[in-house]
Amino acid sequence: MACPALLTADSIAYLATRQLDNTTWQFGAHGYGPHATTLTGHMLDLIAAWDRHHRHQPGPHIAVYPTGTAPSPTNHLQLLIPRPHTTIAITWTSNGQPA
């Protein structure tokens, strides 16, 4: 299972969940280090933003491009991950429409 985390030079905060009952889980964050409170607060802000804007959307569009090619320009939020032989493009829309 992947675990989203925020890191600084001396602190970490990561996504945590807990089961409240047989059908309900709660998202939260745990943090460690001198700046754990700040990072944990930021993680909680990100969880709240996801809940408001992305939770009921179809999720990101993920595409893989061979080296030497690139995704078309977009006005949507996009993360590009260059790899030795490919570039992975993860694109989010704010309205649930395809990227």
Side-chain angles (χ1 to χ4, degrees):
M1 176 178 180
C3 183
L6 301 175
L7 303 168
T8 64
D10 61 2
S11 300
I12 184 172
Y14 63 90
L15 182 68
T17 59
R18 67 177 175 173
Q19 190 170 8
L20 299 178
D21 58 41
N22 287 336
T23 61
T24 308
W25 289 78
Q26 182 179 48
F27 288 101
H30 289 290
Y32 300 94
H35 299 101
T37 300
T38 301
L39 282 179
T40 302
H42 187 58
M43 177 69 78
L44 294 173
D45 290 343
L46 291 169
I47 293 167
W50 167 80
D51 185 49
R52 280 191 307 273
H53 304 293
H54 303 287
R55 181 177 193 172
H56 301 289
Q57 301 300 326
H61 174 77
I62 302 171
V64 179
Y65 298 87
T67 298
T69 62
S72 301
T74 180
N75 290 328
H76 298 294
L77 180 63
Q78 186 175 66
L79 173 65
L80 298 177
I81 306 167
R83 305 293 299 157
H85 302 289
T86 61
T87 296
I88 302 167
I90 304 172
T91 307
W92 290 266
T93 62
S94 58
N95 59 7
Q97 298 301 313

